[in-house]
Amino acid sequence: MRIALSADELTGVAHALPDELRRRGHEPIAHGAYAAGERDDWAWCGEAAARDVAEGRAAQAVVVCWTGTGASIAANKVAGIRAALCGDAQTAAGARRWNDANVLAISLRATSHAQLNEILDAWFEATPSTDRDDLQNVAHLAEIERA
């Protein structure tokens, strides 16, 4: 699967992310600090990764910044994006299952390498819910975007 990947700085788990995605069989599409010549500020690189998903160049994205908050906010400004800031595996699994999240946001400051692996495992193992209420909630997000 093609995964857009952005970081505003190469610190903490940012160094491990491209290899972790490849190890899981994914093809990272680099943005921000991962891509020479690209603006690496969190708002710009978070948006670039989210646009890859929204425009079909990537199936999902992983965006990181110091807290993960800015990258998730930037990604969520792109229509069709449901970015979730996840600090643990349970949140990542829930975001994929109940929210059909398509962008994973991670904190560079608060995420250890062990947590990163647990979060990525949970994110990629979870599948979106087919429960009627969950589907209606996700559909309502698209209605909110159109309003």
Side-chain angles (χ1 to χ4, degrees):
M1 177 181 344
R2 295 187 79 184
I3 306 289
L5 177 62
S6 74
D8 64 347
E9 62 179 314
L10 297 179
T11 189
V13 296
H15 295 288
L17 264 168
D19 289 338
E20 282 301 323
L21 292 175
R22 284 187 199 94
R23 188 175 69 78
R24 289 171 168 75
H26 304 296
E27 177 188 345
I29 303 170
H31 292 289
Y34 294 117
E38 219 177 89
R39 188 162 181 173
D40 61 2
D41 297 286
W42 56 265
W44 280 264
C45 64
E47 176 194 7
R51 288 207 184 279
D52 278 349
V53 175
E55 295 170 7
R57 291 182 296 276
Q60 297 178 10
V62 178
V63 297
V64 298
C65 67
W66 190 243
T67 66
T69 304
S72 67
I73 291 170
N76 275 318
K77 295 295 182 183
V78 176
I81 296 303
R82 293 173 304 282
L85 175 56
C86 299
D88 59 63
Q90 293 77 20
T91 303
R96 286 289 298 134
R97 177 157 179 75
W98 297 306
N99 312 122
D100 192 11
N102 51 13
V103 174
L104 170 62
I106 299 174
S107 167
L108 293 172
R109 179 193 63 78
T111 307
S112 70
H113 288 278
Q115 287 170 313
L116 174 66
N117 286 322
E118 291 171 2
I119 291 167
L120 291 175
D121 287 345
W123 180 267
F124 290 120
E125 289 170 8
T127 57
S129 171
T130 57
D131 180 77
R132 184 178 70 78
D133 289 342
D134 296 331
L135 292 171
Q136 286 178 342
N137 275 294
V138 172
H140 184 63
L141 295 175
E143 293 170 4
I144 293 169
E145 284 179 346
R146 289 188 296 272

